[in-house]
Amino acid sequence: QVQLMESGGGSVQAGGSLKLSCTASGYTGSLYCLAWFRQAAGKQREWVSRINLGIISYADSMKGRFTISQGAAKNTLYLQMISLKPEDTAMYYCAAASDTGHCSPFETDYVYWGQGTQVTVSS
């Protein structure tokens, strides 16, 4: 069983920066596909970024502003965000696919989810 927990959210002004963390616990040896999603109030959950065996992808709207990375132990996931905009306000979730699943931008690929950390960007 795998547990994920996000941290690092908070309230920042537009143009500011924030770094989110996600720590995986339990059996993590087979976790190769990790991703960040976000969900604004009243909106559908959207894919932000993923990392799979070192290969990184971003949603187009996040390119150049967000950076995904892993810690040396491979069980910690980060999302560095710069030049934040009010439209970035959302609950941010980390997620992991199963060891037999695909690794895509579709949330149905992900079976392990954290509880989320709130990011609020004010004007």
Side-chain angles (χ1 to χ4, degrees), residues 4-116:
L4 304 176
M5 186 173 69
E6 304 92 340
S7 63
S11 182
V12 298
Q13 294 182 343
S17 301
L18 207 59
K19 188 174 184 178
L20 308 182
S21 299
C22 173
T23 300
S25 60
Y27 179 68
T28 62
S30 61
L31 296 181
Y32 303 112
C33 175
L34 299 169
W36 288 97
F37 288 80
R38 70 184 186 184
Q39 187 170 23
K43 304 282 188 178
Q44 293 290 313
R45 187 170 296 178
E46 67 173 332
W47 173 70
V48 173
S49 180
R50 74 176 187 271
I51 183 167
N52 180 31
L53 298 174
I55 301 173
I56 293 170
S57 298
Y58 298 96
D60 286 343
S61 61
M62 280 61 137
K63 290 180 179 177
R65 299 192 300 119
F66 291 8
T67 303
I68 191 172
S69 62
Q70 283 182 282
K74 307 297 182 182
N75 67 336
T76 302
L77 184 70
Y78 301 101
L79 185 69
Q80 177 67 61
M81 305 182 292
I82 65 171
S83 302
L84 285 164
K85 306 172 182 178
E87 52 262 44
D88 294 320
T89 296
M91 186 74 73
Y92 283 72
Y93 299 90
C94 65
S98 72
D99 57 359
T100 59
H102 294 99
C103 188
S104 80
F106 298 102
E107 62 181 291
T108 52
D109 282 353
Y110 300 88
V111 298
Y112 305 109
W113 293 84
Q115 295 300 305

